[in-house]
Amino acid sequence: MDGVTVTGVRATARILARDDGRGGTSLPVLEGDGPLALRRTRASGAEARVMLVGAMSGPLGGDRFAVEAKVAEGARLSVGSAAATIALPGQTKGEAHYDIRLDVADGGELAWLPEQLISARGSDLYVTTRVELGARARLVLREEQVLGRAGEEPGRLTSRLTVRVEGRAVLDQELACGPGAPGGWDGSAVLGGRRAVGQLVVVRPEFAAEPVAARMLGEEAALMPLAGPAVLVSAVAADALRLRRLLDEALAALG
């Protein structure tokens, strides 16, 4: 059961989006507990919109948070968050976990656009994001991570992002930063001294027939086609504001 234990807080939020048969999207499941609260906001056309609201600080050391979102055929869902998530050290030793599971059926559409994840000094967080997509599913996924608050060294942050289309992996990558991470994470081949890193994954069926060409987007971002109907934009920046601008410009360039 979810709740407080000697090893930290356990909390899960669940979303299910379905075509309501009237040109819109219904949310028969919208539930969260503990520090994870979900709020439906004003819809836009056929798209349902949900905001993830943090009801308390965290994740802290030893916490295990999870968010599960399923989008059925014909449904359209956009998920954002009310504020940045801040990984903090806790009284309980050991790393915290934040697991995100996204499932989009054929003909479904998901925009996953949370605010930044900030790794505060002394924290230890492992984030996993796993996405399962049907053949004709559409996805926009933004992931932004900031290493340390202003004037602060970061905690340890490990992030793994996996995207599968029709059961086939099109992306599986992991990045570890901060104290105890493998050497070189802050070097010129990875972050180059910058403190904000982000990814944008866009999946559209039309990319299978007309792949997007790989190219640099200035000096801090690159667009790469993936082995499937998907593209990946990777960016690094000095701060969160600059990172968001780079990813927004990349999404606009993709139309």
Side-chain angles (χ1 to χ4, degrees), residues 11 18 51 67 98 104 109 113 122 161 169 171 175 206 210:
R18 288 180 176 164
M51 192 69 66
V67 180
Y98 203 138
V104 187
E109 185 172 336
L113 302 169
L161 172 60
L171 177 65
L175 176 65
E206 55 267 31
E210 298 180 7

Side-chain angles (χ1 to χ4, degrees), residues 146 193-196 220 236-243 246:
V146 179
R194 297 173 179 87
R195 284 296 180 263
E220 298 174 307
V236 295
D239 55 44
L241 183 63
R242 173 63 179 163
L243 179 65
L246 289 170

Side-chain angles (χ1 to χ4, degrees), residues 99-135:
D99 299 321
I100 300 167
R101 303 291 181 267
L102 309 175
D103 192 326
V104 187
D106 278 356
E109 185 172 336
L110 173 63
W112 184 262
L113 302 169
E115 294 301 310
Q116 297 91 355
L117 169 63
I118 301 172
S119 173
R121 183 174 59 188
S123 64
D124 187 356
L125 177 63
Y126 194 100
V127 181
T128 58
T129 303
R130 298 180 185 176
V131 187
E132 294 283 347
L133 303 170

Side-chain angles (χ1 to χ4, degrees), residues 51-54 80-84 115:
M51 192 69 66
L52 180 62
V53 181
S81 58
E115 294 301 310

Side-chain angles (χ1 to χ4, degrees), residues 32-98:
D33 55 23
L36 300 176
L38 296 170
R39 301 288 184 266
R40 182 166 188 166
T41 61
R42 185 184 297 272
S44 175
E47 180 184 76
R49 293 182 174 179
V50 173
M51 192 69 66
L52 180 62
V53 181
M56 58 186 287
S57 297
L60 308 178
D63 290 352
R64 300 189 75 96
F65 292 178
V67 180
E68 301 170 1
K70 294 185 178 181
V71 181
E73 183 176 0
R76 296 179 61 189
L77 174 65
S78 177
V79 180
S81 58
T85 297
I86 304 179
L88 297 165
Q91 294 182 347
T92 301
K93 299 298 183 181
E95 66 183 13
H97 290 258
Y98 203 138

